[in-house]
Amino acid sequence: MLNKARNKIVNTVNQTMVLTYYEIGRMIVEDEQNGKDRADYGKKLLVILSNKLTQDFGKGFSETTIKQMRSFYIKYAKGQTVSDKFKLSWSHYLKLMRIDDEKEINFYEIVESSKIIGV
């Protein structure tokens, strides 16, 4: 019972973190870049945002991580609702974003999701 509870807590934390990173990516693309893949003022936005988040929340918000959040939103913005997806950890999605073949991505998402829920 304790192991199940711990696993549920870890999965909830992971999903919350992934949803938050997705939302940060959405805000960068939709609000700051007006829906474009890149803002006209480019790299400056990411540096400013990285510095601000690091100052407010500590480590984990490098410029690279901010770029990954933006890329994550761009890659996963289409399709089903946000609450229906993102069962995997952030590190899983970082690996999946390197794959171009949509069928391969779907395969790995299914395999990894089944591991998490214990199927």
Side-chain angles (χ1 to χ4, degrees):
M1 182 170 39
L2 290 174
N3 284 332
K4 282 186 178 181
R6 286 179 180 164
N7 286 337
K8 188 173 183 175
I9 290 167
V10 168
N11 289 337
T12 300
V13 168
N14 279 332
Q15 187 176 27
T16 301
M17 186 174 87
V18 169
L19 287 168
T20 301
Y21 287 1
Y22 177 87
E23 186 61 20
I24 290 170
R26 185 200 64 76
M27 291 173 72
I28 292 168
V29 172
E30 299 299 326
D31 297 344
E32 300 298 327
Q33 297 177 187
N34 298 317
K36 300 176 193 170
D37 283 350
R38 301 226 185 272
D40 295 332
Y41 44 93
K43 196 173 176 179
K44 203 175 231 184
L45 167 70
L46 301 180
V47 171
I48 293 168
L49 186 56
S50 172
N51 290 337
K52 176 69 173 143
L53 290 172
T54 300
Q55 181 182 9
D56 291 350
F57 300 103
K59 292 181 184 178
F61 296 100
S62 67
E63 185 181 342
T64 299
T65 302
I66 302 299
K67 286 179 186 176
Q68 290 168 332
M69 291 176 193
R70 180 183 64 192
S71 296
F72 181 58
Y73 171 76
I74 291 169
K75 181 148 186 119
Y76 285 91
K78 53 191 176 285
Q80 61 203 84
T81 62
V82 175
S83 62
D84 290 341
K85 49 183 161 176
F86 307 143
K87 307 289 187 226
L88 303 177
S89 70
W90 178 242
S91 59
H92 282 106
Y93 287 109
L94 291 176
K95 290 178 184 176
L96 290 173
M97 286 192 300
R98 295 183 195 133
I99 301 171
D100 292 327
D101 184 356
E102 197 68 34
K103 289 181 182 179
E104 187 177 353
I105 292 170
N106 291 337
F107 171 79
Y108 285 116
E109 285 177 335
I110 291 167
V111 169
E112 292 303 322
S113 292
S114 67
K115 288 179 188 177
I116 291 171
I117 61 171
V119 174

